[in-house]
Amino acid sequence: SNIDGMKLFLQHCKTCHGVDGNPTDLGEGLGARKFADAEWQAKTSDERIIEQINEGTPEMMMPFKEKLTPEEVKALVPVVRGFKK
Ligand code: HEC
């Protein structure tokens, strides 16, 4: 597709997850992890990443299913994967 996943990430996610997948102070305070973490990457499925973006976590991360189309949510998966070290 021609959806720019990185652009979406910078628009909607970087306030907590940082430009490079390392949580900002805000994100860390809420409990966000480093997306570079290879162990977390290995145990986390694409489906789980999609579910998290759609549903969020109460009081930690807002849900995006009303804000982003399914195609846009899918385009964020390779961005999150790309932060792996
Ligand atoms: C308000 C801050 C905030 C924003 C904005 C935010 N997140 Fe999160 N995100 C969090 C926090 C906090 C967690 C940890 C939630 C938990 O442990 O349940 C998290 C967890 C995650 C996880 C990990 C889920 C898991 O199973 O470990 C993914 C993937 C993720 N966010 C992706 C995104 C994407 C993509 C966006 C943008 C569309 C985004 N987040 C926007 C705060 C945020």
Side-chain angles (χ1 to χ4, degrees), residues 61-76:
M61 171 173 154
M62 65 290 271
F64 283 92
K65 64 179 172 215
E66 315 268 288
K67 247 189 184 151
L68 301 174
T69 66
E71 291 72 29
E72 288 174 325
V73 171
K74 241 176 134 181
L76 283 160

Side-chain angles (χ1 to χ4, degrees), residues 15-64:
T15 49
C16 293
H17 292 290
V19 289
D20 54 2
N22 279 316
T24 58
D25 288 346
L26 173 66
E28 200 161 7
L30 291 166
R33 70 189 72 250
K34 282 188 166 76
F35 291 149
D37 182 352
E39 205 178 302
W40 174 78
Q41 288 276 355
K43 70 170 195 219
T44 304
S45 64
D46 288 356
E47 289 70 28
R48 170 74 203 114
I49 292 173
I50 289 169
E51 182 188 38
Q52 179 68 24
I53 300 168
N54 279 323
E55 306 300 332
T57 305
E59 288 170 32
M60 297 172 92
M61 171 173 154
M62 65 290 271
F64 283 92

